[in-house]
Amino acid sequence: MTRTVYVNGEFLPEDQAKISIFDRAFLMSDGVYEVTSVLDGKLIAFDGHLKRLERSLSELEIRNPLTEDEWLSIHRQLVEANGITDGLVYLQVTRGAPGDRDFAWPDPETCPPTVVLFTQNKPGLAESPAAKIGMKVISIPDIRWGRRDIKTVQLLYPSMGKMMAKKAGADDAWLVEDGLVTEGTSNNAYIVKGNQIITRQLSNDILHGITRAAVLTLAREAQMEVVERPFTIAEAQQADEAFISSASAFVMPVVEIDGAALGDGKPGKVSARMREIYLDEMRKTAI
Ligand code: PDD
């Protein structure tokens, strides 16, 4: 089946969708994105993703080209058209295609934002075997720019980080700045010590994960103590457990950091429980 995608107001077969070579995202990474997961044909934490989209756009002074109802309707139409039961909806908004290359921003009156959405089919997304095995991570320096709170499409360093992890026989990388973990290449990072769940506080240094917000609320409701502060790799290696969170991985246990196994090297109880609670709650509130 050919995938149906959305480009600038039109639903099209993917091989007929076109974007200008002058698009600002293509030339300058001048665009933002969101990834929303789909379980049982429904959108997970959709509201949070739209709110963060709004914020990313406003930080870059790009006009939000669609209303909340329009965003929801496009997401639902794509899920339907592509028969997605479990998977992802990717959306991207760029500053548009001014028809030439120029560092200065084009006039928004004459250069409307570009809007692209597509789905990715991931049957059994929530039943990933990795959740039972756990992930191995390595640490690498965080050399990204200083506005990681804006979800831009500048993903070259996160891609390089994933490749460094792969070459090292690991699954992902945690980024370290000034001796402290910021986050994963495409996820937020946590450690567990006793009854405490520890994760870096929100700032421009990390992406404000939508999954992170839900996980912390649910952890507090489950009588865990949430501590928002940075931690080192050495502290993480000594922790009882570690895990990551993102829209596509949900909550995923980490069992090894830079070659050092955590505890018995198996996914921990708190991580497993948080994954379960998170998925239960998200299925209940999916739209
Ligand atoms: N990545 N930190 C970074 C750097 C991320 O790229 C992501 C998400 C997160 C987690 O955010 P959320 O819980 O809202 O997904 C944290 C997405 C999934 C991606 O790039 O595919």
Side-chain angles (χ1 to χ4, degrees):
M1 188 173 90
T2 316
R3 178 163 42 174
T4 299
V5 302
Y6 176 96
V7 181
N8 294 330
E10 284 186 287
F11 290 91
L12 298 161
E14 63 179 74
D15 54 2
Q16 287 173 34
K18 287 192 178 63
I19 292 291
S20 164
I21 61 160
F22 296 111
D23 195 277
R24 298 269 309 179
F26 180 61
L27 296 179
M28 303 201 172
S29 298
D30 190 356
V32 302
Y33 75 108
E34 283 295 331
V35 177
T36 302
S37 59
V38 177
L39 291 177
D40 305 323
K42 290 185 173 172
L43 300 161
I44 302 297
F46 183 71
D47 202 41
H49 288 286
L50 267 202
K51 291 217 162 62
R52 186 173 59 193
L53 171 68
E54 181 67 52
R55 181 176 179 278
S56 295
L57 289 170
S58 86
E59 290 299 302
L60 295 178
E61 296 173 37
I62 300 175
R63 174 173 61 86
N64 186 342
L66 297 168
T67 64
E68 287 192 14
D69 286 350
E70 287 168 335
W71 282 119
L72 179 59
S73 161
I74 297 166
H75 276 71
R76 284 187 167 153
Q77 286 183 69
L78 284 179
V79 167
E80 171 85 31
N82 294 308
I84 306 292
T85 304
D86 295 338
L88 307 170
V89 182
Y90 176 91
L91 87 79
Q92 181 168 323
V93 181
T94 85
R95 200 181 302 279
D100 204 353
R101 181 175 183 268
D102 189 349
F103 281 82
W105 294 354
D107 179 355
E109 294 300 321
T110 54
C111 182
T114 300
V115 179
V116 169
L117 288 94
F118 58 83
T119 54
Q120 290 184 284
N121 192 22
K122 307 253 178 200
L125 181 64
E127 282 83 47
S128 160
K132 299 247 157 18
I133 306 161
M135 295 166 52
K136 295 177 181 175
V137 302
I138 57 163
S139 63
I140 60 171
D142 194 343
I143 58 166
R144 298 173 300 164
W145 78 326
R147 289 303 306 274
R148 302 155 191 162
D149 57 310
I150 308 174
K151 198 164 172 60
T152 74
V153 295
Q154 309 176 59
L155 296 175
L156 183 53
Y157 190 62
S159 290
M160 289 168 73
K162 298 243 188 224
M163 293 314 292
M164 290 183 230
K166 205 170 167 183
K167 278 188 196 132
D171 304 298
D172 205 349
W174 277 8
L175 306 167
V176 177
E177 185 172 57
D178 299 330
L180 300 164
V181 175
T182 51
E183 59 186 333
T185 57
S186 64
N187 43 64
N188 291 113
Y190 309 72
I191 57 173
V192 180
K193 192 83 188 163
N195 193 42
Q196 287 189 339
I197 293 184
I198 303 162
T199 193
R200 194 178 175 108
Q201 70 280 10
L202 296 181
S203 71
N204 293 351
D205 298 338
I206 63 168
L207 186 74
H208 301 189
I210 302 306
T211 318
R212 177 190 182 281
V215 164
L216 295 189
T217 301
L218 294 167
R220 288 188 182 104
E221 282 171 17
Q223 312 303 325
M224 298 287 303
E225 190 188 341
V226 173
V227 183
E228 293 180 75
R229 65 158 174 86
F231 54 83
T232 64
I233 288 292
E235 183 182 9
Q237 287 171 324
Q238 295 302 314
D240 300 333
E241 299 181 24
F243 62 90
I244 56 108
S245 75
S246 77
S248 50
F250 310 117
V251 173
M252 195 63 80
V254 169
V255 293
E256 195 182 292
I257 304 172
D258 282 340
L262 287 163
D264 60 3
K266 298 208 179 78
K269 286 200 182 64
V270 174
S271 311
R273 181 89 186 106
M274 286 316 306
R275 181 178 172 89
E276 192 183 303
I277 299 175
Y278 174 78
L279 282 169
D280 279 358
E281 180 64 20
M282 289 303 117
R283 284 185 197 278
K284 270 190 229 152
T285 53
I287 60 168

PDB file of all heavy atoms in Angstrom, residues 33 35 49 52 144 151 183-188 207 209-211 245-248, ligand 1:
ATOM      1  N   TYR A  33       9.660  20.123  14.613  1.00  0.00           N
ATOM      2  CA  TYR A  33       8.892  18.907  14.378  1.00  0.00           C
ATOM      3  C   TYR A  33       8.297  18.377  15.671  1.00  0.00           C
ATOM      4  O   TYR A  33       8.662  18.821  16.768  1.00  0.00           O
ATOM      5  CB  TYR A  33       9.771  17.835  13.707  1.00  0.00           C
ATOM      6  CG  TYR A  33      10.772  17.143  14.622  1.00  0.00           C
ATOM      7  CD1 TYR A  33      10.586  15.813  15.022  1.00  0.00           C
ATOM      8  CD2 TYR A  33      11.894  17.805  15.093  1.00  0.00           C
ATOM      9  CE1 TYR A  33      11.504  15.171  15.840  1.00  0.00           C
ATOM     10  CE2 TYR A  33      12.816  17.166  15.918  1.00  0.00           C
ATOM     11  CZ  TYR A  33      12.613  15.849  16.286  1.00  0.00           C
ATOM     12  OH  TYR A  33      13.512  15.228  17.119  1.00  0.00           O
ATOM     13  N   VAL A  35       6.704  14.343  17.162  1.00  0.00           N
ATOM     14  CA  VAL A  35       6.423  12.927  16.901  1.00  0.00           C
ATOM     15  C   VAL A  35       5.381  12.488  17.931  1.00  0.00           C
ATOM     16  O   VAL A  35       5.616  12.596  19.133  1.00  0.00           O
ATOM     17  CB  VAL A  35       7.684  12.057  17.071  1.00  0.00           C
ATOM     18  CG1 VAL A  35       7.358  10.577  16.868  1.00  0.00           C
ATOM     19  CG2 VAL A  35       8.782  12.499  16.112  1.00  0.00           C
ATOM     20  N   HIS A  49       1.890  17.511  22.712  1.00  0.00           N
ATOM     21  CA  HIS A  49       2.716  17.704  21.518  1.00  0.00           C
ATOM     22  C   HIS A  49       2.325  18.989  20.774  1.00  0.00           C
ATOM     23  O   HIS A  49       3.185  19.732  20.310  1.00  0.00           O
ATOM     24  CB  HIS A  49       2.635  16.476  20.598  1.00  0.00           C
ATOM     25  CG  HIS A  49       3.371  15.302  21.161  1.00  0.00           C
ATOM     26  ND1 HIS A  49       4.742  15.224  21.171  1.00  0.00           N
ATOM     27  CD2 HIS A  49       2.938  14.181  21.785  1.00  0.00           C
ATOM     28  CE1 HIS A  49       5.119  14.101  21.770  1.00  0.00           C
ATOM     29  NE2 HIS A  49       4.030  13.452  22.152  1.00  0.00           N
ATOM     30  N   ARG A  52       3.692  21.977  22.707  1.00  0.00           N
ATOM     31  CA  ARG A  52       5.128  22.173  22.523  1.00  0.00           C
ATOM     32  C   ARG A  52       5.421  22.683  21.099  1.00  0.00           C
ATOM     33  O   ARG A  52       6.313  23.513  20.899  1.00  0.00           O
ATOM     34  CB  ARG A  52       5.907  20.890  22.793  1.00  0.00           C
ATOM     35  CG  ARG A  52       7.421  21.127  22.753  1.00  0.00           C
ATOM     36  CD  ARG A  52       8.207  19.931  23.185  1.00  0.00           C
ATOM     37  NE  ARG A  52       7.916  18.788  22.338  1.00  0.00           N
ATOM     38  CZ  ARG A  52       8.273  17.541  22.619  1.00  0.00           C
ATOM     39  NH1 ARG A  52       8.943  17.268  23.737  1.00  0.00           N
ATOM     40  NH2 ARG A  52       7.969  16.560  21.802  1.00  0.00           N
ATOM     41  N   ARG A 144      25.788  19.992  21.239  1.00  0.00           N
ATOM     42  CA  ARG A 144      24.683  20.606  20.494  1.00  0.00           C
ATOM     43  C   ARG A 144      24.581  22.102  20.809  1.00  0.00           C
ATOM     44  O   ARG A 144      25.205  22.584  21.752  1.00  0.00           O
ATOM     45  CB  ARG A 144      23.364  19.912  20.856  1.00  0.00           C
ATOM     46  CG  ARG A 144      23.338  18.446  20.490  1.00  0.00           C
ATOM     47  CD  ARG A 144      22.079  17.774  21.029  1.00  0.00           C
ATOM     48  NE  ARG A 144      22.009  17.883  22.483  1.00  0.00           N
ATOM     49  CZ  ARG A 144      20.921  17.677  23.203  1.00  0.00           C
ATOM     50  NH1 ARG A 144      19.802  17.349  22.607  1.00  0.00           N
ATOM     51  NH2 ARG A 144      20.946  17.782  24.519  1.00  0.00           N
ATOM     52  N   LYS A 151      12.282  22.190  19.597  1.00  0.00           N
ATOM     53  CA  LYS A 151      12.396  20.891  18.919  1.00  0.00           C
ATOM     54  C   LYS A 151      12.666  21.107  17.430  1.00  0.00           C
ATOM     55  O   LYS A 151      11.782  20.936  16.580  1.00  0.00           O
ATOM     56  CB  LYS A 151      11.129  20.058  19.152  1.00  0.00           C
ATOM     57  CG  LYS A 151      11.320  18.577  18.863  1.00  0.00           C
ATOM     58  CD  LYS A 151      10.195  17.774  19.479  1.00  0.00           C
ATOM     59  CE  LYS A 151      10.206  16.318  19.073  1.00  0.00           C
ATOM     60  NZ  LYS A 151      11.395  15.580  19.433  1.00  0.00           N
ATOM     61  N   GLU A 183      20.745  14.691  28.482  1.00  0.00           N
ATOM     62  CA  GLU A 183      19.642  13.793  28.092  1.00  0.00           C
ATOM     63  C   GLU A 183      20.194  12.776  27.106  1.00  0.00           C
ATOM     64  O   GLU A 183      21.395  12.762  26.821  1.00  0.00           O
ATOM     65  CB  GLU A 183      18.492  14.605  27.475  1.00  0.00           C
ATOM     66  CG  GLU A 183      18.912  15.397  26.256  1.00  0.00           C
ATOM     67  CD  GLU A 183      17.831  16.330  25.713  1.00  0.00           C
ATOM     68  OE1 GLU A 183      16.632  16.057  25.894  1.00  0.00           O
ATOM     69  OE2 GLU A 183      18.206  17.333  25.076  1.00  0.00           O
ATOM     70  N   GLY A 184      19.325  11.904  26.601  1.00  0.00           N
ATOM     71  CA  GLY A 184      19.743  10.963  25.561  1.00  0.00           C
ATOM     72  C   GLY A 184      19.696  11.655  24.201  1.00  0.00           C
ATOM     73  O   GLY A 184      19.206  12.780  24.086  1.00  0.00           O
ATOM     74  N   THR A 185      20.191  10.973  23.157  1.00  0.00           N
ATOM     75  CA  THR A 185      20.200  11.590  21.825  1.00  0.00           C
ATOM     76  C   THR A 185      18.790  11.961  21.363  1.00  0.00           C
ATOM     77  O   THR A 185      18.609  12.953  20.676  1.00  0.00           O
ATOM     78  CB  THR A 185      20.788  10.626  20.767  1.00  0.00           C
ATOM     79  OG1 THR A 185      20.022   9.418  20.790  1.00  0.00           O
ATOM     80  CG2 THR A 185      22.248  10.315  21.030  1.00  0.00           C
ATOM     81  N   SER A 186      17.788  11.145  21.755  1.00  0.00           N
ATOM     82  CA  SER A 186      16.404  11.445  21.358  1.00  0.00           C
ATOM     83  C   SER A 186      15.439  11.055  22.468  1.00  0.00           C
ATOM     84  O   SER A 186      14.339  10.571  22.208  1.00  0.00           O
ATOM     85  CB  SER A 186      16.056  10.705  20.061  1.00  0.00           C
ATOM     86  OG  SER A 186      16.103   9.307  20.294  1.00  0.00           O
ATOM     87  N   ASN A 187      15.865  11.278  23.706  1.00  0.00           N
ATOM     88  CA  ASN A 187      15.026  10.894  24.851  1.00  0.00           C
ATOM     89  C   ASN A 187      15.550  11.567  26.118  1.00  0.00           C
ATOM     90  O   ASN A 187      16.668  12.068  26.135  1.00  0.00           O
ATOM     91  CB  ASN A 187      15.029   9.364  25.024  1.00  0.00           C
ATOM     92  CG  ASN A 187      16.414   8.784  24.853  1.00  0.00           C
ATOM     93  OD1 ASN A 187      17.318   9.067  25.638  1.00  0.00           O
ATOM     94  ND2 ASN A 187      16.603   7.988  23.817  1.00  0.00           N
ATOM     95  N   ASN A 188      14.731  11.577  27.144  1.00  0.00           N
ATOM     96  CA  ASN A 188      15.168  12.110  28.443  1.00  0.00           C
ATOM     97  C   ASN A 188      15.727  10.972  29.290  1.00  0.00           C
ATOM     98  O   ASN A 188      15.335   9.810  29.125  1.00  0.00           O
ATOM     99  CB  ASN A 188      14.002  12.808  29.152  1.00  0.00           C
ATOM    100  CG  ASN A 188      13.581  14.095  28.443  1.00  0.00           C
ATOM    101  OD1 ASN A 188      12.491  14.199  27.884  1.00  0.00           O
ATOM    102  ND2 ASN A 188      14.469  15.072  28.423  1.00  0.00           N
ATOM    103  N   LEU A 207      15.440  19.017  25.899  1.00  0.00           N
ATOM    104  CA  LEU A 207      14.080  19.091  25.366  1.00  0.00           C
ATOM    105  C   LEU A 207      13.097  18.785  26.496  1.00  0.00           C
ATOM    106  O   LEU A 207      13.329  17.862  27.285  1.00  0.00           O
ATOM    107  CB  LEU A 207      13.882  18.081  24.228  1.00  0.00           C
ATOM    108  CG  LEU A 207      12.520  18.252  23.561  1.00  0.00           C
ATOM    109  CD1 LEU A 207      12.492  19.490  22.674  1.00  0.00           C
ATOM    110  CD2 LEU A 207      12.140  17.028  22.753  1.00  0.00           C
ATOM    111  N   GLY A 209      10.509  17.037  27.461  1.00  0.00           N
ATOM    112  CA  GLY A 209       9.798  15.862  26.940  1.00  0.00           C
ATOM    113  C   GLY A 209       8.345  15.816  27.401  1.00  0.00           C
ATOM    114  O   GLY A 209       8.041  16.032  28.575  1.00  0.00           O
ATOM    115  N   ILE A 210       7.485  15.495  26.464  1.00  0.00           N
ATOM    116  CA  ILE A 210       6.065  15.343  26.797  1.00  0.00           C
ATOM    117  C   ILE A 210       5.894  14.056  27.607  1.00  0.00           C
ATOM    118  O   ILE A 210       5.124  14.002  28.566  1.00  0.00           O
ATOM    119  CB  ILE A 210       5.217  15.296  25.488  1.00  0.00           C
ATOM    120  CG1 ILE A 210       5.445  16.575  24.658  1.00  0.00           C
ATOM    121  CG2 ILE A 210       3.738  15.079  25.792  1.00  0.00           C
ATOM    122  CD1 ILE A 210       5.207  17.872  25.382  1.00  0.00           C
ATOM    123  N   THR A 211       6.655  13.043  27.249  1.00  0.00           N
ATOM    124  CA  THR A 211       6.614  11.788  28.005  1.00  0.00           C
ATOM    125  C   THR A 211       7.164  12.025  29.414  1.00  0.00           C
ATOM    126  O   THR A 211       6.614  11.525  30.401  1.00  0.00           O
ATOM    127  CB  THR A 211       7.449  10.706  27.282  1.00  0.00           C
ATOM    128  OG1 THR A 211       7.173  10.799  25.889  1.00  0.00           O
ATOM    129  CG2 THR A 211       7.129   9.317  27.790  1.00  0.00           C
ATOM    130  N   SER A 245      12.961   8.095  28.471  1.00  0.00           N
ATOM    131  CA  SER A 245      11.575   8.242  28.030  1.00  0.00           C
ATOM    132  C   SER A 245      11.510   9.064  26.750  1.00  0.00           C
ATOM    133  O   SER A 245      12.298   9.990  26.555  1.00  0.00           O
ATOM    134  CB  SER A 245      10.717   8.921  29.107  1.00  0.00           C
ATOM    135  OG  SER A 245      10.981  10.307  29.171  1.00  0.00           O
ATOM    136  N   SER A 246      10.585   8.671  25.876  1.00  0.00           N
ATOM    137  CA  SER A 246      10.287   9.468  24.677  1.00  0.00           C
ATOM    138  C   SER A 246       8.947   9.014  24.120  1.00  0.00           C
ATOM    139  O   SER A 246       8.444   7.949  24.496  1.00  0.00           O
ATOM    140  CB  SER A 246      11.366   9.290  23.602  1.00  0.00           C
ATOM    141  OG  SER A 246      11.207   8.052  22.949  1.00  0.00           O
ATOM    142  N   ALA A 247       8.415   9.822  23.206  1.00  0.00           N
ATOM    143  CA  ALA A 247       7.107   9.508  22.626  1.00  0.00           C
ATOM    144  C   ALA A 247       7.125   8.162  21.911  1.00  0.00           C
ATOM    145  O   ALA A 247       6.121   7.452  21.905  1.00  0.00           O
ATOM    146  CB  ALA A 247       6.700  10.609  21.650  1.00  0.00           C
ATOM    147  N   SER A 248       8.251   7.801  21.314  1.00  0.00           N
ATOM    148  CA  SER A 248       8.271   6.560  20.536  1.00  0.00           C
ATOM    149  C   SER A 248       8.732   5.343  21.332  1.00  0.00           C
ATOM    150  O   SER A 248       8.357   4.219  21.027  1.00  0.00           O
ATOM    151  CB  SER A 248       9.137   6.719  19.287  1.00  0.00           C
ATOM    152  OG  SER A 248      10.383   7.263  19.632  1.00  0.00           O
TER     153      SER A 248
HETATM  154  N1  PDD B   1      12.581  12.587  20.303  1.00  0.00           N
HETATM  155  N2  PDD B   1      15.090  14.690  24.202  1.00  0.00           N
HETATM  156  C1  PDD B   1      15.363  14.722  22.886  1.00  0.00           C
HETATM  157  C2  PDD B   1      16.669  15.290  22.444  1.00  0.00           C
HETATM  158  C3  PDD B   1      14.420  14.226  21.964  1.00  0.00           C
HETATM  159  O1  PDD B   1      14.688  14.264  20.647  1.00  0.00           O
HETATM  160  C4  PDD B   1      13.198  13.670  22.445  1.00  0.00           C
HETATM  161  C5  PDD B   1      12.150  13.136  21.514  1.00  0.00           C
HETATM  162  C6  PDD B   1      12.976  13.649  23.839  1.00  0.00           C
HETATM  163  C7  PDD B   1      11.709  13.104  24.435  1.00  0.00           C
HETATM  164  O2  PDD B   1      10.618  13.947  24.185  1.00  0.00           O
HETATM  165  P1  PDD B   1       9.132  13.366  24.074  1.00  0.00           P
HETATM  166  O3  PDD B   1       8.889  12.614  25.319  1.00  0.00           O
HETATM  167  O4  PDD B   1       8.279  14.582  23.970  1.00  0.00           O
HETATM  168  O5  PDD B   1       9.111  12.492  22.845  1.00  0.00           O
HETATM  169  C8  PDD B   1      13.934  14.179  24.677  1.00  0.00           C
HETATM  170  C9  PDD B   1      11.602  12.142  19.334  1.00  0.00           C
HETATM  171  C10 PDD B   1      10.790  10.998  19.798  1.00  0.00           C
HETATM  172  C11 PDD B   1      12.289  11.888  17.998  1.00  0.00           C
HETATM  173  O6  PDD B   1      13.139  12.679  17.660  1.00  0.00           O
HETATM  174  O7  PDD B   1      11.951  10.934  17.307  1.00  0.00           O
END
